[in-house]
Amino acid sequence: MNIALIAHDKKKDDMIRFVVAYKKIFEKHSLFATGTTGTKIQEATGLDVHRFCSGPLGGDQEIGAYIANNNMDMVFFFRDPLTAQPHEPDVTALLRLCDVYSVPLATNMGTGEVLIRGLEQGDIDWRNIVHGNTDRVTDI
């Protein structure tokens, strides 16, 4: 599966701890991230991460384009709801695209835990069937 990893500045440490904790699951998938988040994840885990621009410079929109073209299966976007973001319209658009295209989205570590466990158990494999990617289905 293609998985996007995004974190606002005050949530980057949470994202890194999360990916380190679940490295064995993440290493089985293709990872994509916004600029700084991707760099920090690579440095902490050694995982291969395709990095887009930073969020304020268009990275959120690049990931949104992947979602709109059925090239992203899951998004982990650890948001900081207490700090104003200069690119808030881009953030809102990304969240809306996840809803429009039924892409599972975790915006904090609590929902991230549920989503990563579901991924591990194969509960997200429905995306392969719905979107015609049956060659990626392993066990249903």
Side-chain angles (χ1 to χ4, degrees):
M1 297 234 165
N2 291 339
I3 300 172
L5 304 166
I6 310 163
H8 284 148
D9 289 343
K10 291 185 178 178
K11 298 295 181 176
K12 288 191 190 321
D13 288 342
D14 285 348
M15 178 62 78
I16 292 163
R17 284 192 295 273
F18 185 77
V19 176
V20 166
Y22 293 106
K23 180 180 175 183
K24 295 288 185 195
I25 297 170
F26 282 114
E27 68 188 4
K28 298 174 185 174
H29 302 279
S30 297
L31 305 179
F32 300 79
T34 49
T36 306
T37 301
T39 298
K40 289 184 176 218
I41 290 169
Q42 280 183 314
E43 290 171 353
T45 64
L47 293 172
D48 183 36
V49 180
H50 173 84
R51 288 173 286 135
F52 292 109
C53 294
S54 70
L57 297 178
D60 297 337
Q61 291 179 336
E62 289 178 297
I63 291 172
Y66 268 56
I67 292 168
N69 287 294
N70 191 34
N71 291 320
M72 197 62 67
D73 297 301
M74 183 177 299
V75 176
F76 291 86
F77 187 170
F78 289 3
R79 301 177 61 216
D80 176 8
L82 302 178
T83 303
Q85 303 296 327
H87 63 295
E88 190 62 35
D90 299 336
V91 171
T92 302
L94 179 65
L95 301 177
R96 183 175 51 79
L97 284 169
C98 287
D99 288 339
V100 168
Y101 291 98
S102 298
V103 172
L105 166 70
T107 60
N108 59 60
M109 200 175 294
T111 54
E113 289 276 342
V114 173
L115 205 53
I116 197 74
R117 294 294 184 186
L119 177 65
E120 180 181 36
Q121 296 176 87
D123 297 338
I124 313 299
D125 288 346
W126 61 269
R127 287 203 37 86
N128 293 322
I129 294 170
V130 169
H131 297 289
N133 299 327
T134 53
D135 58 319
R136 294 193 302 175
V137 174
T138 54
D139 263 330
I140 292 193

